[in-house]
Amino acid sequence: MVIHYKEKSFFTSKDLALSVIGGRWKIAIIWCLLQQSPLRLSEIQKYLPDVNQRMLIRQLRELEEDQIITRMVYPVVPPKVEYQLSEIGLQLKPVVTSICDWGDHFRIFLEENANKKSVQ
Amino acid sequence: MVIHYKEKSFFTSKDLALSVIGGRWKIAIIWCLLQQSPLRLSEIQKYLPDVNQRMLIRQLRELEEDQIITRMVYPVVPPKVEYQLSEIGLQLKPVVTSICDWGDHFRIFLEENANKKSVQ
DNA sequence: GGCAATACTGACGTTTTTGTCACTGTGATT
DNA sequence: AATCACAGTGACAAAAACGTCAGTATTGCC
């Protein structure tokens, strides 16, 4: 996840992808914005209560720089900022979906394993 | 990527998945083993020349602990060890594929962007 | 005047992850 | 007796990621 594509010219597709979506909370953020869009910062925080605000904002900034999400600022008081997935960001849906699906399989796999052990 | 599922009882599917495949080189290793299997350590190193051996071994160990890959040791000299994806590991193929596909799209997206800028 | 709401930012420290270096063991080969 | 091949391990250092705390700005409300 470390080397960002802007600092390296040659990359395989997967490395390029991972340099953009590999951050600690990025898949989670993208997942939120696939559930509901647009979302305000405070709403994303409700979806992801484990992420502290500072961290969340950093990850949002990075996603914005990479043009995965867009950030709309409304000049009102109190401030209102809305985040949503860009076109290329929306195309990450199969990635998020396949990760969730595999997670489901893996959970079942772990449970079956646990059962086998307890039977022995 | 940080909190491993063994240290936390409740997890969404994606968090569970990411706790297992979120390591720096894990997707890359799984990608290798989807291309060719089984592979010896030295062969994986040829696929991934940027990863130092120590790091590679650590990531392999973690994948093995999580039962994503299997490790076969042949008691010969010089030693021979073969790695391959387990059944649940093989099921990660859609994840790797969708990441690669999106990376391709994103690369095209970046190139188009660059062209637009140079035309302006 | 003081406080609330929202969306931040800066400085700083901690933790995690990643990388480097030197080293191990064994049998065959030169 | 030295060297090679292969697959490691241990101790440590560096870098990156992550988290915490305090503070900013604006306007309206009590």
Side-chain angles (χ1 to χ4, degrees), chain A residues 108-120:
Chain A
I108 291 164
F109 167 80
L110 289 177
E111 281 162 9
E112 281 173 3
N113 256 23
N115 288 341
K116 272 181 209 158
K117 273 190 190 161
S118 69
V119 168
Q120 275 170 2

Side-chain angles (χ1 to χ4, degrees), chain B residues 1-2 23-25 52 54-55 58-59 77-79:
Chain B
M1 319 302 173
V2 165
R24 178 85 175 78
W25 300 105
N52 75 71
R54 189 83 183 83
M55 205 53 227
R58 276 185 222 169
Q59 301 273 301
V77 170

Side-chain angles (χ1 to χ4, degrees), chain A residues 51-84:
Chain A
V51 195
N52 77 71
Q53 200 187 34
R54 188 84 183 84
M55 207 51 227
L56 188 55
I57 290 169
R58 275 184 220 168
Q59 301 272 302
L60 286 166
R61 285 285 171 285
E62 290 181 14
L63 288 170
E64 192 195 348
E65 271 178 42
D66 290 334
Q67 307 180 69
I68 307 305
I69 63 175
T70 58
R71 181 164 165 273
M72 267 292 286
V73 182
Y74 296 90
V76 294
V77 169
K80 176 174 175 173
V81 178
E82 284 186 346
Y83 294 93
Q84 59 186 313

Side-chain angles (χ1 to χ4, degrees), chain B residues 4-70:
Chain B
H4 192 265
Y5 69 89
K6 286 176 183 166
E7 281 134 45
K8 199 179 168 183
S9 54
F10 183 76
F11 255 131
T12 67
S13 305
K14 73 172 184 325
D15 294 332
L16 178 59
L18 290 175
S19 85
V20 170
I21 60 168
R24 178 85 175 78
W25 300 105
K26 287 184 183 171
I27 292 285
I29 291 170
I30 293 161
W31 179 85
C32 290
L33 290 170
L34 284 168
Q35 308 304 302
Q36 195 189 324
S37 194
L39 282 173
R40 302 179 65 170
L41 178 67
S42 51
E43 294 171 320
I44 301 177
Q45 287 187 275
K46 280 172 206 152
Y47 270 102
L48 305 174
D50 288 349
V51 194
N52 75 71
Q53 200 189 30
R54 189 83 183 83
M55 205 53 227
L56 188 56
I57 291 169
R58 276 185 222 169
Q59 301 273 301
L60 286 166
R61 286 285 174 284
E62 291 182 12
L63 288 171
E64 192 196 348
E65 271 177 40
D66 290 334
Q67 306 181 68
I68 306 305
I69 63 174
T70 59

Side-chain angles (χ1 to χ4, degrees), chain A residues 15-49:
Chain A
D15 294 333
L16 177 59
L18 289 175
S19 84
V20 170
I21 59 168
R24 179 86 175 77
W25 300 105
K26 288 186 183 170
I27 292 285
I29 291 169
I30 293 160
W31 179 85
C32 291
L33 291 170
L34 284 168
Q35 307 305 303
Q36 194 189 324
S37 194
L39 282 174
R40 301 180 66 170
L41 178 65
S42 50
E43 293 171 322
I44 301 177
Q45 286 187 276
K46 279 171 207 153
Y47 271 103
L48 305 174

